[in-house]
């Protein structure tokens, strides 16, 4: 018998699970219209690969993963893409997001798909395959599954020693994992073996809360049948034992340090529905196209349905037949789920439960009273935080202090709000503070980036100026040098030669008529000279005359 | 008497040497306060404070030359942070300061004549283009400083406010009415 551990705090809300486990999982009839959001996972939205008017087959890739944290999106059935546009989705902001509207043709025609021989494949290839199959964590975080299967960075020798399958399903009303384990235990176990193979994990532990005896029996039977050395461990029912860090604590006694991931302590945790999707993807080549959804609460027929992703929530509600006094709908559980602003939103990979709520079933919280610092929230907090202090910092927007008090270790489970005698919506304050801090970090990053670019620009200007000055100086220097050189050296040799030749010629040529004149010639010359002198005299006197 | 003087002198020399060494070894380049102030400023480099960029404004604040309420893009929160850092009283913006929503510049490419004046003005090189070629804003690099708007000779640049998207959406402060005990 394995020793189980306890995590701090936790609460015991009424389970309300039996209503929806009375009948087996039903297949939801094909809806008349599917709206498939391109962001159904944590991280970047997938990039559309189809256009309005395209005919698509069931399982066809319509959204390509875009970015490191991203996953693929597929056509849930065969049909025609009617539009790619912004549609309302289930999001606390109530804002629309990019979706593909698919009109099914009813033929359910598959794209060619085949099983993958995972034992003969490289884990990196399998990860890429799972990424393109759109397999994400179905426990609620919808984190791309392939990223959780990466080898540990910075720990070349440290591998995952423990793989945990999370079948705790601690939140009230939700029974989709319970029913999946009851009905498809063998596939889940096979999927776990595939995950174990990819992670090269040592042991595999399957944790299930003790309020699901049928699921425990089915899983135990499946493990025995498979002959795999997995261990099904029954854990006590306490909320939130289904949170990864808390389940790791219960099963292994290890605590994930603040700000760290389970992989940092050699543990990895997957939801059982994720394991099932991994099995469908590798053993059948089927991408993630549907999921099990619990439709419960104030309905005539609470049950679990296998629903195609993109099915409008209102069709689910119509099938469950909500009672007339239903006044709102919750996607997810009563503890962590969100109220839907409209039921005209598609069901996505994260949508594990739809609860029809009435004031009778969920009486509205009385108005909040001031915090009396009773510390009941601190006693209930499974993350061992001080919610009353965090509340104080969040409501006064002292975000630095909130962060210093480990706000980001809060898993938003709602245990603190549940026990608060003053009915303070504590989790809403923490969500607000987290959102603000994240936005500020983004802003800071953008500011740092802008500063870097500005400084680089200034540096570039400075450099350009310097380069220009250097160029100018070099040019000036070159000109000056050329001038100096021409002044210093004698004329060019050809010219010099020409001058010398001319001089030589002048020297060698003998004057003929001026040398040795005859006396007659001399007298002639003297006569001419005298005449010239006379003319000069005349010219001079005439000039003087005109001057007068 | 003599030995006491000697001891004091030696101690003085040793301490002096330590101080002198540490003055060289642990020398701080520039004013560290400027860095801290600059880290608070939003780095839009818009010059609305009257200084040519965020760093010059940070230097002016550090030297006591400029007031802390001159940065509209930083918002009142920026003033609060500066006041906290500098141990000063919070001051609101002056009367004629307009705080605009965050925006990015947009070039109407049908009108742009490719004069390059805007990207000479852009403090973060967020405009791509060349002479007589169409210019365009690299939206994710744009800080919304509006410095490119005025130089444009054909007025083809407008500021488009950034709309809240699902990825930039922030949770609102919880609505809660406190009921005081009667």
């Amino acid at each position: 018998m394995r020793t189980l551990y306890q995590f701090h705090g936790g609460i015991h809300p009424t389970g309300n699970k039996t209503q929806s486990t009375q009948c087996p999982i039903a297949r939801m009839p094909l809806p008349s219209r599917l709206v498939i959001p391109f962001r159904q996972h944590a991280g970047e939205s997938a990039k559309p690969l189809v256009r309005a008017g395209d005919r698509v087959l069931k399982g066809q890739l319509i959204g390509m993963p875009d970015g490191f944290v991203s996953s693929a999106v597929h056509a849930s059935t065969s049909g025609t893409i009617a539009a790619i546009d912004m549609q309302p989705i289930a999001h606390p902001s109530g804002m629309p997001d990019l979706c593909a509207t698919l009109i099914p043709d009813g033929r359910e025609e598959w794209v060619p798909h085949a099983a993958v021989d995972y034992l003969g494949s490289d884990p990196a290839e399998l990860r890429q395959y799972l990424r393109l199959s759109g397999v994400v964590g179905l426990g609620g975080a919808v984190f791309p599954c392939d990223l959780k299967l990466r080898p540990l960075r910075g720990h070349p020798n440290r591998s995952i020693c423990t793989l945990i399958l999370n079948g705790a399903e601690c939140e009230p009303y939700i029974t989709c994992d319970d029913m999946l384990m009851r009905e498809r235990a063998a596939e889940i176990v096979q999927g776990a073996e595939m995950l174990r193979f990819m992670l090269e994990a040592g042991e595999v532990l399957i944790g299930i809360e003790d309020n699901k005896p049928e699921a425990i029996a089915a899983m135990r039977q499946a493990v025995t049948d498979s002959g795999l050395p997995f261990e099904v461990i029954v854990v006590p029912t306490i909320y939130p034992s289904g949170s990864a860090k808390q389940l790791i604590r219960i099963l292994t006694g290890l605590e994930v340090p603040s700000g760290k991931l389970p992989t940092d302590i050699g543990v990895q945790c997957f939801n059982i529905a994720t394991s099932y999707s991994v099995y469908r993807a590798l053993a059948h080549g089927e991408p993630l196209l549907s999921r099990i959804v619990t439709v419960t609460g104030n309905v005539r027929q609470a049950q679990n349905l296998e629903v195609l992703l993109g099915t409008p929530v209102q069709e689910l509600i119509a099938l469950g037949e909500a009672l007339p006094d239903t006044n709102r709908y919750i996607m997810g559980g009563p503890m962590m789920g969100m109220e839907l602003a409209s039921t005209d939103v598609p069901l996505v990979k994260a949508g594990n439960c739809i609860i029809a709520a009435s004031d009778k079933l969920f009486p509205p919280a009385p108005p909040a009273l001031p915090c009396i610092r009773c510390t009941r929230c601190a006693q209930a907090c499974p993350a061992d935080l001080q919610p009353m202090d965090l509340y104080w910092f969040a409501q006064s927007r002292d975000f630095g202090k909130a962060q210093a008090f480990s706000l980001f270790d809060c898993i938003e489970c709602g245990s603190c709000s549940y026990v608060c005698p003053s009915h303070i919506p504590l989790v809403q304050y923490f969500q607000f503070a987290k959102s603000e801090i994240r936005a500020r970090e983004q802003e800071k990053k953008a500011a740092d980036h802008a500063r870097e670019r500005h400084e680089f620009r200034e540096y570039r200007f400075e450099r350009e100026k310097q380069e220009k000055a250097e160029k100018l100086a070099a040019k000036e220097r070159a000109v000056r040098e050329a001038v100096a050189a021409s002044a210093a050296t004698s004329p060019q040799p050809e010219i010099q030669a020409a001058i010398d030749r001319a001089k030589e010629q002048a020297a060698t040529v003998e004057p003929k008529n001026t040398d040795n004149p005859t006396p007659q010639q001399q007298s002639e010359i003297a006569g001419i000279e005298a005449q010239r002198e006379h003319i000069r005299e005349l010219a001079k006197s005439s000039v003087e005359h005109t001057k007068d | 008497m003599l030995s006491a003087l000697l001891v004091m002198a030696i101690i003085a020399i040793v301490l002096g040497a330590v101080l002198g060494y540490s003055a060289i070894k642990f020398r701080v380049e520039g004013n560290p306060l400027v860095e801290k102030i600059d880290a608070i400023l939003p780095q839009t480099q818009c010059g609305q404070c009257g200084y040519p960029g965020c760093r010059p404004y940070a230097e002016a604040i550090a030297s006591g030359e400029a007031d802390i309420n001159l940065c509209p893009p930083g918002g009142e929160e920026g003033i609060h942070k500066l006041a906290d850092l500098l141990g000063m009283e919070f001051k609101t913006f002056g009367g004629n300061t307009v705080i605009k929503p965050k925006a990015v510049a947009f070039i109407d490419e049908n009108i742009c004549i490719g004069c390059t004046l805007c990207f000479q003005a852009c403090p973060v090189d967020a405009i791509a283009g060349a002479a007589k070629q169409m210019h365009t804003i690299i939206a994710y690099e744009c800080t919304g400083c509006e410095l490119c708007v005025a130089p444009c000779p054909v007025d083809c640049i407008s500021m488009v406010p950034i709309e809240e998207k699902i990825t930039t959406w922030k949770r609102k402060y919880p609505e809660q009415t406190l009921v005081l005990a009667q």
Side-chain angles (χ1 to χ4, degrees), chain A residues 39 89 92-93 95 367-369 395 397 429 431-432 435-436 439-440 447 449-451 453-454 457 460, chain B residues 38-39 42-43 45 77 119-120 122-125 141 143 164 166-167 169-174 176-177 179:
Chain A
R39 189 199 314 273
I89 58 156
S93 67
M95 280 184 202
L369 294 164
Q395 61 115 30
R397 294 165 204 261
Y429 280 97
Q431 286 171 334
F432 156 73
S435 171
E436 277 294 322
R440 269 157 213 229
H449 183 68
R451 180 190 297 118
R453 282 181 76 85
H454 181 63
R457 182 183 139 96
R460 199 185 68 221
Chain B
D38 194 38
Q43 304 302 321
Q45 319 292 352
E77 208 185 297
F119 70 67
Q120 289 172 34
C122 178
V124 290
D125 292 332
E141 304 285 13
T143 62
E164 196 175 44
I166 209 158
T167 43
W169 173 78
K170 286 196 290 186
R171 282 184 189 266
K172 304 286 171 289
Y173 192 82
Q176 179 196 357
T177 42
V179 179

Side-chain angles (χ1 to χ4, degrees), chain B residues 132-152:
Chain B
K132 293 189 182 166
Q133 305 289 319
M134 183 185 70
H135 302 345
T136 195
I137 305 278
I138 307 167
Y140 61 88
E141 304 285 13
C142 176
T143 62
C145 68
E146 303 189 9
L147 289 180
C148 55
V149 176
C152 180

Side-chain angles (χ1 to χ4, degrees), chain A residues 45 60 62 102 151 340 473 478:
Chain A
S45 181
Q60 185 178 330
I62 60 167
L102 173 59
L340 293 175

Side-chain angles (χ1 to χ4, degrees), chain B residues 47-115:
Chain B
Q48 289 181 60
C49 51
Y51 293 87
C54 294
R55 203 177 167 87
Y57 178 44
E59 280 160 7
I61 295 176
S63 65
E65 184 188 311
D67 224 332
I68 56 170
N69 61 348
L70 302 177
C71 177
E76 293 211 333
E77 208 185 297
I79 305 178
H80 272 295
K81 280 188 191 165
L82 287 172
D84 280 351
L85 176 69
L86 303 167
M88 291 165 80
E89 279 293 314
F90 170 76
K91 269 182 196 166
T92 50
F93 285 110
N96 47 8
T97 314
V98 191
I99 298 177
K100 294 175 191 164
K102 274 197 158 192
V104 289
F106 173 76
I107 293 179
D108 188 335
E109 292 167 354
N110 293 320
I111 307 176
C112 174
I113 53 168
C115 69

